[in-house]
């Protein structure tokens, strides 16, 4: 109905409002708004995660790109001029008041100045390889194509100009011909260095391991009350094997001395930007390049080589140079051992709570306790692992099985086994809760059908219930991996170290050495970021290592997710 003016009547308006209200209520009751809110929240979380990953990569990966070298005069007002040959690492704007408080003579009429962080390298000559400078005072800039960057085993990079190439004390190239003579000699030096590392780590390392085993065998005989007089044959056999090992070691030592002399044959005569001559043995140089003379494809090849070195080589220079392969290996191996331990115990605990335990107050208290364990700080688990696993279990194992090695501990010291068990305890509540929820979702009719066909309860659980609950079990494993792979605090107490002399897995029997300490990506990030003597050099490596840690966790999770999806597809028909 309408009024004389053509407007709806009051009753009609109330009816329309009532219908709109009912429509809104029906829309809310359908749950569609909550679906959209959930989708929006997931989208925001995904965007934030992706942005964080991109930011980490953008801060870390440019470290491996060969930056151009700028030659310029740095002419600060009221101070001595110096000539620099440097990489420009970063820029920032600072106020004139801040610079004046730092003791610099600046024009206060200019409110902002651009400050550059440049890498001058040559730390052995200049004391520091990074310097902050004002862009306005860096004048007469040029980019000489013959400027050379040398990556060294010690003292970081060297910036300068290649003057002469020497081999066995004789000059084999100088001036414009020096670079073409240098490159094959550098390849030769790298090959010789790889041969030395292979002999030292593989051959001599194996000999030292076998000699240590012989020492322990001899000590074991002595503990048993045997002496060379009463058991001459046993001691003679050990001495004979020791003689063979020493002879093999002498051969390798002679071979090493020969290779080292070959490695020390060549050297470079470099000229710094301020005119000083510096002779650098090629044995100290990892690689050399001329960034200003490189095209895009040359830089891409260099970038790929540096990234591969980062993921495949051992660290050097207090972890600020080289690679992080031992940390990657240690992280993955620890997670795998932890997964092998936590899954059986978590599944058995969930199986007991859901299928065997009498449901009552006690069982409810146990479930509450399990849920509360998930919120215990990780450092508490580390203290427990140190006290129980290392000092109690490890010491007991040493007394029972490795008495010949005492007082040097074998398992009575932090190692990868105790780290894996500690993280297994830390992630156990997650696996228990996820597995128990998966068991609860299996219809009771399926259990009853299996029992009706004559299967026992154990057979029903083993052949029907557990396979159908396997996707939920894999979900618990995924959550456990996601948490355990990034933990650092407990590992600092039960096994992780700054630099491990050898990997937990090698070619020496029994091949898997669970008592050894190991490196970890999370601890490597902490060590490089907060314990490094060269903060500016370490900063991009922190981002690069963090980016790699995320990729490792994603790879581990994707593997577990793939297995879970295959199991879910296999048992979907039974669930329906």
């Amino acid at each position: 109905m309408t009024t004389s003016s053509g407007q709806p009547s009051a009753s009609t308006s109330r009816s329309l409002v009532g219908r709109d209200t009912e429509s809104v209520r029906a829309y809310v009751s359908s749950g569609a708004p909550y679906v959209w809110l959930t989708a929006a929240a997931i989208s925001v979380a995904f965007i934030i995660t992706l942005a964080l990953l991109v930011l980490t990569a953008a801060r870390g990966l440019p470290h491996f790109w060969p930056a151009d070298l700028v030659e310029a005069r740095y002419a600060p007002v009221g101070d001595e001029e110096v000539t620099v040959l440097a990489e420009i690492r970063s820029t920032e704007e600072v106020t004139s008041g801040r610079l004046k408080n730092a003791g610099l003579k600046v024009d206060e009429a200019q409110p902002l100045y651009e400050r550059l962080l440049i890498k001058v390298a040559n730390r052995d000559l200049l004391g520091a390889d990074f310097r902050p400078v004002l862009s306005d005072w860096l004048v007469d800039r040029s980019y000489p194509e013959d400027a050379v960057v040398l990556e060294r085993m010690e003292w970081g990079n060297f910036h300068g100009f290649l003057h002469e190439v020497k081999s066995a004390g004789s000059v084999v190239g100088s001036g414009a011909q020096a670079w073409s003579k240098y490159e094959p000699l550098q390849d030769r030096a790298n090959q010789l260095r790889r041969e030395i590392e292979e002999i030292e780590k593989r051959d001599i390392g194996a000999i030292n391991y076998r000699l240590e085993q012989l020492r322990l065998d001899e000590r074991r005989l002595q503990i048993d009350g045997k002496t060379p007089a009463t058991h001459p044959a046993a001691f003679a056999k050990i001495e004979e094997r020791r003689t063979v090992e020493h002879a093999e070691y002498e051969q390798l030592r002679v071979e090493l001395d020969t290779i080292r002399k070959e490695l020390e044959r060549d050297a470079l005569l470099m000229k710094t930007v301020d005119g000083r001559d510096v002779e650098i043995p090629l044995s100290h140089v990892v690689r050399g390049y001329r960034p200003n003379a490189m095209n895009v494809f040359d830089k891409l090849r260099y970038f790929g080589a540096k990234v591969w070195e980062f993921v495949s080589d051992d660290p050097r220079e207090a972890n600020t140079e080289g690679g992080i392969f031992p940390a990657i290996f240690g992280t993955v191996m620890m997670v795998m051992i932890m997964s092998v331990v936590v899954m059986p115990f978590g599944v058995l605990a969930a199986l007991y709570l859901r299928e065997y335990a009498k449901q009552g107050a006690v069982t409810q208290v146990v479930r509450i306790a399990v849920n509360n364990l998930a919120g215990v700080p990780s450092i508490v688990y580390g203290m427990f692992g140190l006290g129980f696993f290392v000092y109690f279990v490890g010491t007991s194992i040493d007394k029972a099985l490795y008495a010949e090695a005492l007082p040097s501990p074998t398992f009575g010291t932090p190692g990868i086994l105790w780290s894996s068990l500690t993280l297994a305890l830390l992630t156990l509540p997650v696996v228990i809760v996820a597995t128990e929820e998966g068991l609860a979702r299996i219809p009771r009719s399926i259990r009853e059908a299996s029992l009706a066909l004559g299967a026992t309860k154990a057979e029903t659980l083993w052949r029907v219930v557990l396979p159908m609950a396997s996707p939920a079990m894999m979900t618990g494993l995924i959550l456990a991996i996601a948490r355990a792979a990034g933990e650092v605090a407990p590992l600092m107490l039960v096994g992780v170290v700054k630099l491990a002399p050898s990997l937990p897995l090698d070619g020496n029997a029994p091949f898997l050495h669970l008592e050894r300490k190991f490196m970890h990506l999370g601890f490597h990030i902490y060590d490089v970021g907060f314990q490094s003597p060269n903060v500016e050099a370490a900063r991009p490596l922190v981002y690069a290592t963090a980016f790699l840690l995320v990729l490792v966790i994603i790879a581990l999770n994707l593997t577990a997710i793939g297995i879970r999806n295959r199991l879910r597809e296999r048992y979907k028909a039974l669930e329906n």
Side-chain angles (χ1 to χ4, degrees):
M1 296 180 60
T2 59
T3 62
S4 58
S5 60
Q7 298 296 327
S9 65
S11 60
T12 303
S13 299
R14 286 193 297 270
S15 177
L16 292 174
V17 171
R19 284 198 295 269
D20 291 342
T21 303
E22 290 297 328
S23 299
V24 171
R25 289 176 179 174
Y27 178 69
V28 173
S29 300
S30 67
Y34 305 107
V35 173
W36 283 105
L37 285 175
T38 303
I42 293 175
S43 300
V44 171
F46 176 77
I47 292 173
I48 292 174
T49 304
L50 184 62
L52 181 62
L53 192 62
V54 171
L55 175 63
T56 306
R59 288 294 191 93
L61 295 182
H63 170 73
F64 307 112
W65 186 263
D68 291 338
L69 290 182
V70 57
E71 181 181 1
R73 290 187 302 108
Y74 185 58
V77 176
D79 204 346
E80 182 181 359
E81 293 186 4
V82 294
T83 305
V84 298
L85 181 66
E87 302 175 9
I88 298 178
R89 279 299 184 91
S90 63
T91 63
E92 64 174 347
E93 288 188 340
V94 294
T95 62
S96 57
R98 182 178 173 185
L99 296 174
K100 186 177 180 181
N101 292 336
L104 298 179
K105 297 180 180 180
V106 295
D107 185 5
E108 296 186 13
Q110 182 177 342
L112 295 175
Y113 281 83
E114 183 183 43
R115 185 165 64 182
L116 309 176
L117 180 65
I118 62 173
K119 182 179 181 179
V120 295
N122 304 2
R123 191 165 70 240
D124 49 339
L125 301 177
L126 304 176
D129 49 1
F130 286 90
R131 292 182 180 179
V133 299
L134 294 184
S135 180
D136 294 347
W137 296 352
L138 201 63
V139 297
D140 297 337
R141 303 185 189 184
S142 62
Y143 296 86
E145 291 192 356
D146 58 341
V148 175
V149 178
L150 297 180
E151 295 182 20
R152 299 183 291 179
M153 299 293 293
E154 297 178 349
W155 297 107
N157 290 355
F158 186 93
H159 293 175
F161 301 91
L162 182 57
H163 186 55
E164 291 179 348
V165 178
K166 297 181 179 180
S167 181
S170 302
V171 177
V172 297
S174 61
Q177 299 179 346
W179 185 256
S180 61
K181 297 292 184 180
Y182 154 74
E183 291 181 307
L185 293 181
Q186 183 65 68
D187 294 338
R188 173 182 175 275
N190 290 340
Q191 179 61 33
L192 292 174
R193 190 181 297 111
R194 285 191 291 268
E195 293 178 7
I196 292 175
E197 291 177 357
E198 185 175 0
I199 293 175
E200 289 179 339
K201 289 186 175 181
R202 188 192 64 183
D203 300 332
I204 295 182
I207 290 175
N208 290 332
Y209 182 81
R210 291 194 294 267
L211 287 173
E212 176 63 16
Q213 295 306 309
L214 291 175
R215 186 189 70 83
L216 295 178
D217 291 342
E218 187 176 44
R219 175 63 178 160
R220 192 177 297 113
L221 292 175
Q222 294 173 354
I223 293 176
D224 294 339
K226 300 176 182 178
T227 63
T230 58
H231 295 78
F235 283 90
K237 185 177 180 180
I238 292 176
E239 192 60 33
E240 181 182 353
R241 291 167 56 191
R242 183 180 288 124
T243 302
V244 172
E245 298 295 343
H246 281 298
E248 185 176 350
Y249 171 78
E250 285 299 321
Q251 293 178 358
L252 292 174
R253 187 183 62 80
V254 172
E255 184 179 354
L256 273 179
D257 291 341
T258 303
I259 298 176
R260 286 196 178 102
K261 289 180 181 178
E262 288 292 318
L263 182 60
E264 296 170 358
R265 186 193 70 179
D266 305 325
L268 305 177
L269 183 62
M270 301 293 298
K271 189 176 289 293
T272 64
V273 71
D274 56 0
R276 285 184 284 180
D277 291 333
V278 179
E279 185 171 296
I280 302 176
L282 269 184
S283 59
H284 297 173
V285 180
V286 178
R287 67 167 58 87
Y289 61 96
R290 297 186 295 180
N292 298 342
M294 298 168 69
N295 56 36
V296 176
F297 297 103
D298 293 333
K299 292 188 175 183
L300 283 174
R301 283 195 293 271
Y302 175 87
F303 178 80
K306 286 291 291 182
V307 172
W308 174 248
E309 177 190 65
F310 182 66
V311 300
S312 63
D313 280 3
D314 293 341
R316 63 176 190 271
E317 284 280 309
N319 290 343
T320 60
E321 297 289 345
I324 57 171
F325 174 75
I328 299 173
F329 186 90
T331 302
V332 174
M333 185 174 178
M334 182 207 67
V335 170
M336 293 177 66
I337 297 174
M338 181 272 299
S339 302
V340 170
V341 174
V342 74
M343 284 302 293
F345 284 97
V347 171
L348 288 176
L351 199 61
Y352 176 77
L353 290 175
R354 175 57 57 178
E355 304 292 338
Y356 287 98
K358 182 179 180 180
Q359 303 302 313
V362 176
T363 306
Q364 190 64 25
V365 169
V366 172
R367 287 197 178 95
I368 294 174
V370 169
N371 292 329
N372 288 338
L373 282 176
V376 174
S378 60
I379 191 65
V380 176
Y381 285 97
M383 294 297 297
F384 175 81
L386 180 65
F388 180 73
F389 291 131
V390 177
Y391 292 153
F392 178 70
V393 179
T395 301
S396 301
I397 292 175
D398 284 350
K399 291 179 180 179
L401 303 178
Y402 299 95
E404 66 277 3
L406 295 175
S408 298
T410 302
F411 281 94
T413 184
I416 191 170
L417 175 62
W418 307 136
S419 297
S420 302
L421 292 180
T422 300
L423 290 187
L425 283 180
L426 187 147
T427 56
L428 186 61
V430 177
V431 177
I432 292 175
V433 172
T435 304
E436 192 173 0
E437 290 179 355
L439 294 172
R441 286 199 298 267
I442 299 175
R444 184 178 181 84
S445 59
I446 293 179
R447 294 178 172 86
E448 294 175 348
S450 176
L451 295 173
L453 292 174
T456 63
K457 184 174 183 179
E459 291 174 336
T460 300
L461 292 176
W462 180 252
R463 301 195 173 199
V464 178
V465 176
L466 282 180
M468 293 182 64
S470 56
M473 293 156 52
M474 293 304 301
T475 299
L477 179 61
I478 292 169
L479 296 175
I481 290 174
R483 183 177 183 188
E487 285 291 347
V488 177
L491 301 181
M492 296 171 66
L493 300 174
V494 290
V496 75
V497 290
K498 174 187 177 72
L499 185 63
S502 55
L503 297 177
L505 184 67
D506 60 19
N508 300 318
F511 310 115
L512 181 60
H513 306 275
L514 297 177
E515 77 281 1
R516 288 182 180 175
K517 295 177 175 60
F518 69 106
M519 296 181 65
H520 186 272
L521 286 172
F523 182 77
H524 187 81
I525 294 171
Y526 163 78
D527 177 70
V528 173
F530 297 96
Q531 304 294 324
S532 174
N534 195 346
V535 178
E536 297 297 340
R539 181 177 291 119
L541 291 179
V542 173
Y543 289 102
T545 307
F547 177 69
L548 187 59
L549 175 59
V550 174
L551 293 184
V552 169
I553 294 174
I554 290 175
L556 292 171
N557 284 338
L558 287 179
T559 302
I561 290 172
I563 297 174
R564 181 189 64 182
N565 291 341
R566 292 185 62 181
L567 294 172
R568 182 176 292 167
E569 290 295 327
R570 177 180 298 179
Y571 299 106
K572 182 182 293 185
L574 288 176
E575 293 179 359
N576 295 334

